[in-house]
């Protein structure tokens, strides 16, 4: 029976710790949430880090310390965000790869992002893709809009496959400025994967805010995988704030179990994604 890859995105760059005290921002908080999420069924952690004042940062020392701490305490696949915050410069976003993650995100185009712009120029994407392959880092291509799918097709045609050879994408739906977070949009993305991307491409999906549940169920219905976490939603239900990432992963694992595609182990996930120590 095929199983479900669950990625947890515990922190992000946008949520304010002062408004959401349960958000993990210190390395200790991140490690503790990571261990809980691994027990609940996560196999990948998508990481944004914060500084001592809980502001988003791409500080190289802190990134390395975070990667080491997560590897010491969990078997999770460590995926660093190269998206950072909308204000982060390209050079710092590229330097994220120097911290030696197993995976890193690579967003396939520029998109309006609330009141900001999440800038991803073509040359920047190509450079990220090239450096990931040179450094043995497996990309997760993040897709915020339908046009990002043919953009990825073009990238792979012109610049070759990613490190490990397997293509894995994540639909990030419901961002104000990007594609909607609903079941028919997941269907459109899943069909576009089949049309534009190599056979064997896998996808996960996440819905921002209240779009979390429709996107989760639609992704499972299409044979897709799941991403959940406080980067994407801080409400568990109407007027019920999330108390921690663990409960979001537990709910995703329960949904996967009901779909008769239980959560994948970290060993299976490493094999599927082709990360370095798969053997
Ligand atoms: N924080 C967003 C601007 C990624 O991690 O690669 C970008 C983002 C995508 O979260
Ligand atoms: Zn992110």
């Amino acid at each position: 029976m095929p199983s479900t890859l669950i990625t947890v995105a515990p922190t992000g760059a946008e949520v304010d710790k002062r408004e959401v005290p349960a958000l993990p921002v210190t390395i200790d908080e991140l490690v503790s949430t990571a261990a809980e999420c691994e027990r609940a069924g996560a196999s990948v952690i998508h990481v944004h880090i914060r500084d001592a004042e809980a502001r988003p940062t791409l500080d190289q020392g802190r990134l390395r310390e975070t990667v080491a701490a997560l590897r010491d305490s969990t078997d999770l696949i460590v995926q660093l965000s190269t998206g950072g915050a909308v204000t982060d410069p390209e050079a710092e976003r590229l330097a994220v790869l120097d911290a030696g993650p197993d995976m890193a995100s690579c967003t396939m185009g520029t998109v309006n992002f609330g009141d900001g712009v999440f800038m991803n120029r073509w040359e920047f994407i190509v450079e990220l893709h090239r450096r990931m392959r040179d450094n043995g880092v497996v990309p997760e291509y993040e897709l915020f809009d339908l046009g990002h799918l043919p953009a990825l097709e073009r990238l792979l045609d012109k610049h070759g496959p990613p490190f490990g050879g397997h293509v894995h994408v994540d639909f990030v739906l419901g961002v104000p400025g990007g594609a909607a977070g609903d079941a028919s949009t997941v269907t459109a993305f899943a069909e576009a994967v089949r049309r534009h991307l190599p056979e064997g491409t896998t996808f996960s999906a996440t819905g921002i805010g209240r779009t979390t549940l429709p996107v989760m169920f639609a992704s499972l219905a299409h044979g897709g995988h799941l991403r959940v976490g406080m980067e994407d939603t801080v409400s568990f239900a109407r007027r019920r704030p999330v108390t921690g990432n663990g409960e979001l992963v537990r709910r995703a694992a329960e949904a996967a179990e009901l779909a008769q595609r239980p959560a994948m182990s970290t060993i299976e996930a490493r094999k599927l994604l082709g990360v370095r120590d798969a053997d």
Side-chain angles (χ1 to χ4, degrees), residues 52-70:
E53 273 78 51
R55 290 173 308 210
T57 176
L58 295 179
D59 177 76
Q60 187 62 216
R62 205 168 172 91
L63 281 171
R64 285 172 193 258
E65 214 184 319
T66 304
V67 171
L70 288 168

Side-chain angles (χ1 to χ4, degrees), residues 12-14 46-48 79-87 93 104-107 113 117-120 140 142 144 172 227 231-232:
E14 286 77 30
H46 168 85
V47 179
H48 290 252
Q79 179 191 106
L80 291 182
S81 165
T82 66
V86 289
T87 45
R93 291 172 58 192
S105 56
C106 176
T107 294
F113 195 88
V117 177
F118 181 27
M119 184 66 82
N120 294 285
E140 175 179 274
E142 298 214 351
F144 289 68
V172 185
R227 171 174 128 172
E231 170 166 349
D232 300 335

